[in-house]
């Protein structure tokens, strides 16, 4: 299809950046986020590291012990355990900003998404560049989150472009620039090409995408089978017809915040819950959905989780009904609440579409 404009957005050093956001003093220190295995000690792997730590050779997937060795002469370096709950919360907040900048929004994972912006940019790359800058600024001002965006006429090239200049990058590849942009890149920059395929190509003296392009599709099919072979062939030519398809974070229809202080005070909690409802309701209206289930979630001071939900008699999109139900759930929950609450969430589920405008499959 001619003339689409597609963004791929990816958050920079995501888990480590989340840690910097809540503790800005970490910004000047190498930071590595660690997934400790249950074997104890330093066994486990690095999930990610900030760019300062990367300068010393720390990488995602590396054993924690190796990373510690790399940073052994840097006393200010920091090793932190993962806090997925908090990264998810940060991701959800960022995604709800991003969605407002797209004609079609496709959630890929906690730190990335595709946006089709063809209509709102009127197929104009100048307008697209402006929109991307606005989106980056918006994430930075409201959340202090730095991100990188790749722009092109298809998902594949946009994804490669968002990986091209990081962090805080913006790379625009107009249709007539696609081949020259891809030419010098290592074959490995094609998504899905891993170490093994890279070695195979290396044995054939093929290192760059430009060299890969000289290989015909039959040879590639012979090497990789027809499906992957033709994918690689098309990728080398910068061809990808996959549309951006509406897909949400499976838990997008929820909001969660960390409270200013741990509490089990009804008035204090009710106030925050109402704010969460207002925010969530914005998305509900925008996406034109009806919900039948309403739930609240407490993360308690010992980090344990407590949820309570209620099924309504009829599907609704009413803010009043949402708030009324949430407040009722809060009242009931607090009756036997022992621990103070640290994080507070609201979610709706059990969706129905309104007047066929929303593709219902996106909820599953
Ligand atoms: N991740 C992980 N283990 C890996 C790779 C990634 O746990 N082997 C997690 C931590 C990352 C997040 O996924 O923060 C996103 O991965 P990315 O590949 O997008 O890498 P980053 O966001 O960390 O860095 P950047 O995008 O700046 O290169
Ligand atoms: Ca990232
Ligand atoms: Ca990513």
């Amino acid at each position: 299809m001619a003339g689409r404009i597609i963004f791929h957005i990816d958050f920079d050093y995501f888990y480590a950046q989340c840690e910097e956001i809540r503790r800005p003093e970490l910004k000047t220190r190498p930071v590595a986020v660690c997934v400790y295995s249950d074997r104890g000690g330093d066994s486990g792997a690095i999930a990610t590291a900030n760019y300062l730590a990367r300068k010393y050779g720390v990488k995602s997937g590396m054993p924690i012990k190796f990373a510690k060795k790399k940073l052994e002469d840097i006393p200010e370096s920091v090793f932190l355990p993962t806090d997925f709950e908090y990264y998810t919360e940060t991701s959800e907040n960022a995604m709800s900003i991003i969605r407002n900048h797209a004609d079609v929004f496709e959630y890929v994972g906690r730190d990335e998404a595709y946006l089709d912006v063809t209509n709102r940019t009127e197929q104009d790359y100048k307008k697209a560049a402006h929109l991307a800058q606005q989106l980056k600024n918006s994430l930075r001002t409201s959340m202090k989150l730095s991100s990188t965006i790749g722009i092109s006429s298809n998902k594949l090239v946009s994804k490669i472009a968002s990986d091209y200049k990081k962090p805080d990058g913006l790379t625009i590849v107009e249709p007539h620039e696609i081949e020259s942009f891809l030419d010098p890149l290592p074959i490995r920059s094609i998504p899905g090409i891993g170490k093994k395929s890279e070695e195979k190509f290396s044995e054939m003296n093929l290192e760059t995408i430009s060299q890969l392009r000289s290989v015909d599709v039959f040879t590639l099919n012979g090497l990789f089978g027809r499906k992957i072979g033709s994918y690689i062939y098309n990728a080398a030519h910068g061809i990808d017809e996959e549309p951006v398809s509406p897909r949400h974070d499976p838990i997008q229809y929820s909001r969660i915040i960390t409270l200013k202080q741990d509490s089990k005070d009804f008035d204090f909690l009710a106030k925050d819950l109402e704010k969460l409802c207002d925010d969530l309701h914005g998305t509900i209206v925008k996406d034109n959905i009806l919900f039948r289930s309403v739930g609240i979630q407490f993360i308690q001071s010992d980090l344990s989780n407590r949820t309570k939900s209620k099924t309504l008699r009829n599907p609704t999109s009413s803010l009043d009904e949402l708030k009324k139900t949430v407040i009722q759930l809060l009242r009931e929950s607090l009756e036997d609440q022992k621990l103070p609450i640290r994080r507070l969430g609201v979610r709706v589920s059990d969706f129905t579409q309104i007047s066929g405008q929303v593709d219902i499959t996106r909820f599953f």
Side-chain angles (χ1 to χ4, degrees):
M1 198 209 291
R4 287 200 286 231
I5 300 190
I6 291 170
F7 291 2
H8 180 258
I9 184 165
D10 186 286
F11 307 155
D12 301 323
Y13 61 107
F14 184 51
Y15 297 177
Q17 198 190 164
C18 288
E19 298 296 347
E20 287 183 2
I21 290 171
R22 64 175 162 189
R23 289 173 58 191
E25 72 276 11
L26 294 177
K27 283 187 179 210
T28 52
R29 305 165 62 173
V31 176
V33 176
C34 309
V35 182
Y36 290 99
S37 79
D38 47 18
R39 260 175 267 147
D42 274 345
S43 81
I46 300 297
T48 193
N50 68 0
Y51 280 73
L52 254 169
R54 290 183 198 192
K55 264 202 207 146
Y56 295 96
V58 178
K59 282 189 195 150
S60 293
M62 169 182 278
I64 296 167
K65 284 195 189 87
F66 284 19
K68 289 212 162 158
K69 191 144 268 156
K70 302 235 177 231
L71 290 170
E72 68 188 345
D73 295 331
I74 320 294
E76 70 268 25
S77 58
V78 185
F79 290 79
L80 299 170
T82 52
D83 179 352
F84 290 113
E85 195 89 41
Y86 167 61
Y87 308 149
T88 303
E89 176 183 331
T90 307
S91 167
E92 281 179 15
N93 293 337
M95 291 297 174
S96 68
I97 294 173
I98 295 171
R99 295 150 50 98
N100 290 330
H101 291 72
D103 304 335
V104 187
F105 170 87
E106 180 177 336
Y107 174 90
V108 180
R110 269 204 198 92
D111 88 323
E112 55 191 280
Y114 289 104
L115 291 76
D116 190 314
V117 298
T118 311
N119 289 337
R120 66 181 60 207
T121 61
E122 297 165 322
Q123 302 184 320
D124 177 342
Y125 277 83
K126 276 222 181 71
K127 287 185 184 153
H130 187 71
L131 177 68
Q133 199 56 60
Q134 262 181 349
L135 172 54
K136 275 161 62 71
N137 291 346
S138 178
L139 291 170
R140 186 175 291 286
T141 355
S142 59
M143 304 188 56
K144 302 192 163 51
L145 183 74
S146 127
S147 61
T148 295
I149 298 181
I151 307 180
S152 81
S153 55
N154 68 56
K155 286 165 75 168
L156 174 86
V157 176
S158 297
K159 166 107 179 146
I160 297 173
S162 74
D163 214 33
Y164 181 72
K165 191 177 161 285
K166 272 188 150 285
D168 197 20
L170 173 59
T171 300
I172 303 163
V173 184
E174 294 196 31
H176 67 276
E177 301 167 319
I178 289 184
E179 291 207 348
S180 60
F181 168 70
L182 295 177
D183 274 344
L185 300 181
I187 295 175
R188 186 75 185 267
S189 28
I190 296 173
I193 300 231
K195 219 179 188 153
K196 258 176 140 175
S197 325
E198 189 184 38
E199 276 166 16
K200 231 186 229 185
F201 286 123
S202 199
E203 282 163 21
M204 300 163 66
N205 277 322
L206 302 170
E207 309 290 344
T208 65
I209 297 186
S210 135
Q211 290 165 342
L212 175 63
R213 202 175 301 130
S214 65
V215 183
D216 63 71
V217 71
F218 304 105
T219 310
L220 291 171
N221 288 353
L223 282 168
F224 295 95
R226 229 176 88 184
K227 204 167 158 214
I228 298 173
S230 54
Y231 165 75
I232 297 177
Y233 179 84
N234 283 332
H237 290 77
I239 297 168
D240 174 30
E241 300 289 344
E242 222 29 64
V244 175
S245 46
R247 202 163 82 90
H248 288 276
D249 176 341
I251 44 174
Q252 184 62 45
Y253 293 98
S254 68
R255 291 291 185 274
I256 183 163
I257 50 155
T258 304
L259 298 167
K260 296 229 164 59
Q261 70 209 51
D262 294 4
S263 164
K264 45 181 184 169
D265 177 73
F266 175 83
D267 291 332
F268 179 80
L269 297 168
K271 220 161 144 196
D272 273 327
L273 272 181
E274 294 208 9
K275 265 189 253 153
L276 289 174
C277 289
D278 288 331
D279 185 22
L280 178 57
H281 190 253
T283 308
I284 291 168
V285 170
K286 183 164 182 280
D287 290 355
N288 220 3
I289 59 159
L290 301 171
F291 53 89
R292 242 195 105 185
S293 268
V294 177
I296 62 172
Q297 179 186 15
F298 299 162
I299 311 281
Q300 312 185 98
S301 56
D302 66 350
L303 299 187
S304 63
N305 198 14
R306 190 174 175 211
T307 59
K308 194 170 178 73
S309 62
K310 184 174 178 334
T311 302
L312 308 173
R313 195 173 305 233
N314 294 303
T316 179
S317 64
S318 148
L319 177 60
D320 273 353
E321 190 155 5
L322 174 62
K323 284 188 174 172
K324 220 177 68 202
T325 313
V326 159
I327 294 302
Q328 185 193 344
L329 287 168
L330 175 67
R331 206 179 295 280
E332 290 169 13
S333 307
L334 287 180
E335 277 168 17
D336 58 352
Q337 178 66 26
K338 296 196 178 65
L339 291 167
I341 297 151
R342 182 182 154 97
R343 288 186 185 151
L344 186 60
V346 185
R347 90 171 35 189
V348 295
S349 56
D350 213 351
F351 303 114
T352 316
Q353 62 189 123
I354 301 176
S355 66
Q357 288 193 36
V358 180
D359 175 8
I360 197 71
T361 57
R362 69 201 245 185
F363 301 120
F364 303 109

